[in-house]
């Protein structure tokens, strides 16, 4: 079954304790991205990756890191979480289109709800 | 810069009534437009997409949307609402003129659809 898998689905942590949210896709997609969803703000892009070892900042990258060492995996790292990073996080992936960029037809994971106390 | 505006954060309809969810976009290049749906505790999934072919686009579950360039709109409709349509709906715009800058899929803030008996 084609899917994007995120772990953990739920996490409560404390300020400053490093954490990693994993994301894995089994569709051989070149493009992967992380979004956060907050009430009234919709989805905002944190980081994206066009291919292995190629990553770039989205609209709200502060306080986050990513890596893309393998095509299927795209972990999100919070080195020193703060309460304003309490949010619902989504990983998404897609193929690349004919022009080289992603098609925009994203496949989403089920989300990871993070609470930072 | 591109953006989408969804009018009405909450829409309530009776079962069997017309569903109309509004989306207006702003883009400096001809856009790709999308509607995504998010059911409770799930990730987003693609409902339909416009990529410059037919202006009336049909999607899953009986939904359709019409691209109107003169009005910069891409409203989502369904002739007859069903209880199972209750979800949050997101309009999104993608800049198709990508030059290596990555996916600029920009989401609206979402519209929560409630279907009443």
């Amino acid at each position: 079954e084609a899917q994007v898998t995120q772990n953990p689905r739920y996490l409560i942590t404390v300020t400053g304790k490093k954490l990693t949210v994993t994301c894995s896709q089994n569709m051989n997609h070149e493009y992967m991205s992380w979004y956060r969803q907050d009430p009234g703000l919709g989805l905002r892009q944190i980081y994206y990756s066009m291919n292995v070892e190629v990553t770039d900042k989205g609209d709200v990258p502060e306080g986050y890191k990513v890596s893309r060492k393998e095509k299927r995996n795209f972990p999100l790292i919070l080195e020193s979480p703060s309460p304003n990073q309490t949010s619902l996080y989504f990983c998404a992936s897609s193929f690349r289109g004919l022009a080289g960029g992603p098609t925009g037809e994203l496949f989403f994971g089920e989300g990871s709800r993070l609470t930072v106390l | 810069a591109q953006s989408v505006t969804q009018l009405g954060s909450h829409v309530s309809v009776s079962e069997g009534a017309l569903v109309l969810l509004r989306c207006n976009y702003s883009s400096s290049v001809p856009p790709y437009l999308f509607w995504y749906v998010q059911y409770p505790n799930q990730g987003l999934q693609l409902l339909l997409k416009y990529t410059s072919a037919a202006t009336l686009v049909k999607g899953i579950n009986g939904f359709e949307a019409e691209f109107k360039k003169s009005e910069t709109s891409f409203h989502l409709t369904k002739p007859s609402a069903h209880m199972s349509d209750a979800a949050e709906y997101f309009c999104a715009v993608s800049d198709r003129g990508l030059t290596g800058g990555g996916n600029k899929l920009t989401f609206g803030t979402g519209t929560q659809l409630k279907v009443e008996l």
Side-chain angles (χ1 to χ4, degrees):
Chain A
E1 180 188 356
Q3 58 186 5
V4 178
T5 303
Q6 298 178 224
N7 280 295
R9 293 287 312 280
Y10 302 91
L11 179 63
I12 299 174
T13 189
V14 295
T15 299
K17 186 176 181 181
K18 180 180 179 179
L19 67 92
T20 299
V21 185
T22 64
C23 174
S24 181
Q25 51 91 7
N26 62 1
M27 295 168 279
N28 203 34
H29 286 165
E30 295 87 1
Y31 175 85
M32 298 185 74
S33 180
W34 277 101
Y35 290 87
R36 60 178 288 174
Q37 183 180 17
D38 301 289
L41 297 177
L43 279 84
R44 294 178 292 168
Q45 190 179 50
I46 303 171
Y47 269 94
Y48 64 90
S49 171
M50 298 285 280
N51 215 326
V52 175
E53 302 292 359
V54 180
T55 64
D56 208 345
K57 297 177 181 178
D59 297 319
V60 288
E62 294 77 21
Y64 305 95
K65 287 176 58 178
V66 293
S67 67
R68 187 89 181 273
K69 292 181 169 50
E70 303 167 288
K71 194 173 187 179
R72 63 183 294 129
N73 297 322
F74 191 46
L76 179 69
I77 303 158
L78 285 72
E79 293 272 2
S80 183
S82 62
N84 65 12
Q85 293 179 297
T86 293
S87 187
L88 178 59
Y89 291 87
F90 287 100
C91 181
S93 68
S94 78
F95 286 114
R96 294 183 67 165
L98 293 175
T103 64
E105 188 172 343
L106 296 173
F107 293 80
F108 283 82
E110 292 191 312
S112 296
R113 186 169 293 282
L114 171 65
T115 301
V116 183
L117 302 175
Chain B
Q2 57 196 26
S3 65
V4 289
T5 301
Q6 292 185 242
L7 296 175
S9 58
H10 292 81
V11 170
S12 184
V13 301
S14 300
E15 191 173 35
L18 171 72
V19 175
L20 171 60
L21 304 182
R22 301 177 185 274
C23 173
N24 288 89
Y25 71 89
S26 172
S27 178
S28 56
V29 298
Y32 286 171
L33 292 160
F34 305 80
W35 276 100
Y36 283 83
V37 60
Q38 183 181 29
Y39 298 105
N41 300 314
Q42 294 186 26
L44 282 71
Q45 59 186 126
L46 184 67
L47 259 183
L48 51 79
K49 63 179 179 180
Y50 166 76
T51 56
S52 78
T55 56
L56 182 62
V57 181
K58 295 186 184 299
I60 61 173
N61 301 336
F63 284 93
E64 61 182 37
E66 185 172 8
F67 173 70
K68 292 187 176 180
K69 184 178 179 180
S70 61
E71 299 177 8
T72 60
S73 69
F74 191 58
H75 301 331
L76 182 70
T77 61
K78 182 174 181 178
S80 177
H82 191 273
M83 296 295 288
S84 61
D85 295 327
E88 189 158 22
Y89 293 80
F90 291 91
C91 183
V93 60
S94 175
D95 179 356
R96 64 163 96 171
L98 298 170
T99 55
N103 180 21
K104 294 301 291 183
L105 188 66
T106 302
F107 287 87
T109 53
T111 298
Q112 187 72 45
L113 176 65
K114 182 178 180 181
V115 182
E116 299 174 319
L117 287 172

